[in-house]
Amino acid sequence: MVNIEFIQKLADIVKEKDLGEITIADGEEVITIKGKKCPSPMGLPPMGMPVVPAAAAQTIQAAPAAQAAPAVSGNVVKSPIVGTFYAASAPDKPPFVTVGQQVKKGDVIMIIESMKLMNEVQSEFDGTVAEILVKNGEAVEFDQPIMIIK
């Protein structure tokens, strides 16, 4: 499987598709080729998990970019980290904020759970919560719009 021509073809794919990294595993042989804009290494999938083909990886990486930011007026509160959005501190507690509620700069307006850590997010704006764009318990990406404050 491994020869210089195969490695060159993989390198061409990484360059042509502007991928950060591509890893191919066949039994005990593993080849990883990193592009210029390579993010931190993600490692190999657990044993028994299939390796994602390059074309599928390109599709998966392109999916978050396809989500268009909503066209809104007001101050957009974005997720500071990747994680899970929680509207309240516990399932039996009321939400930090609701649509129509007044908030002041510094008020806790949500929690983003990331790597088992609960991160309180404070409002950067004074105003009224106009819209909450994600549902409780939904995964959020870095810089994803979560709330509109007018």
Side-chain angles (χ1 to χ4, degrees), residues 42-54:
M42 294 177 55
L44 293 174
M47 296 300 284
M49 294 294 293
V51 175
V52 177

Side-chain angles (χ1 to χ4, degrees), residues 26-112:
D26 184 17
E28 292 184 16
E29 294 182 49
V30 178
I31 297 174
T32 300
I33 298 180
K34 298 180 179 184
K36 291 181 181 177
K37 296 187 259 177
C38 184
S40 61
M42 294 177 55
L44 293 174
M47 296 300 284
M49 294 294 293
V51 175
V52 177
Q58 179 73 10
T59 303
I60 291 169
Q61 291 174 356
Q67 297 173 349
V72 295
S73 63
N75 297 308
V76 179
V77 178
K78 296 180 180 182
S79 178
I81 55 177
V82 174
T84 304
F85 166 79
Y86 291 110
S89 60
D92 60 336
K93 300 287 184 187
F96 291 109
V97 296
T98 56
V99 173
Q101 181 177 338
Q102 289 285 112
V103 294
K104 294 191 184 309
K105 185 176 181 175
D107 289 351
V108 175
I109 55 175
M110 70 183 94
I111 289 178
I112 304 291

Side-chain angles (χ1 to χ4, degrees), residues 128-139:
T128 303
V129 177
E131 191 174 354
I132 299 174
L133 305 170
V134 295
K135 293 180 177 27
N136 192 49
E138 190 173 298

